Amino acid sequence: QVQLVESGGGLVQAGGSLRLSCAASGRTFKNYAMGWFRQAPGKERELVAAINWSGDSRYYADSVKGRFTISRDNTENTVYLQMNSLKPEDTAVYYCAATPTAYYYTAAEYNSWGQGTQVTVSA
């Protein structure tokens, strides 16, 4: 497993932007696909975006396509989530997660999780 620490959350007005970062340590970062999940109060955790080990394959939930961008820097052991045109419905705790498998579409595949960072979008 890897240890993951998220940062970059906060309070922003609708239409604004935030950039989340997730720093990894403990194992070879490039061996892992990475994902960003979010969980709003009373809702299930959902996959927002994911990226494979090399960065040449990405997944986005329909709700964030065209607004969010996931990227990674394997030299810095960090994965990012650039969030633009934020909406109140993006309000949630955002979690970074790592999976050693090539299939990164479900939470069950991930074996390492960060502690989460709160993102709040005001109307």
Side-chain angles (χ1 to χ4, degrees):
Q1 296 185 349
V2 294
Q3 287 74 51
L4 303 172
V5 178
E6 303 100 333
S7 61
L11 173 64
V12 64
Q13 289 187 334
S17 298
L18 283 174
R19 188 193 197 201
L20 304 183
S21 299
C22 174
S25 62
R27 292 281 185 174
T28 304
F29 178 67
K30 67 180 182 181
N31 289 345
Y32 290 81
M34 301 296 296
W36 284 98
F37 291 76
R38 68 185 180 187
Q39 188 166 21
K43 295 188 177 181
E44 293 187 355
R45 188 172 298 190
E46 64 170 339
L47 178 63
V48 174
I51 188 167
N52 72 338
W53 72 273
S54 64
D56 61 2
S57 179
R58 294 174 174 86
Y59 163 85
Y60 296 99
D62 287 343
S63 58
V64 306
K65 280 181 181 176
R67 301 188 298 121
F68 289 13
T69 302
I70 188 170
S71 62
R72 66 188 296 161
D73 185 339
N74 288 343
T75 65
E76 296 291 333
N77 291 352
T78 302
V79 62
Y80 304 97
L81 185 68
Q82 178 67 44
M83 305 186 294
N84 299 329
S85 302
L86 282 161
K87 305 175 181 180
E89 51 263 43
D90 294 318
T91 295
V93 177
Y94 283 71
Y95 299 89
C96 171
T99 173
T101 72
Y103 187 81
Y104 50 53
Y105 300 101
T106 62
E109 298 296 330
Y110 292 79
N111 64 358
S112 300
W113 293 83
Q115 81 288 351
T117 186
Q118 177 70 46
V119 171
T120 303
V121 184
S122 62

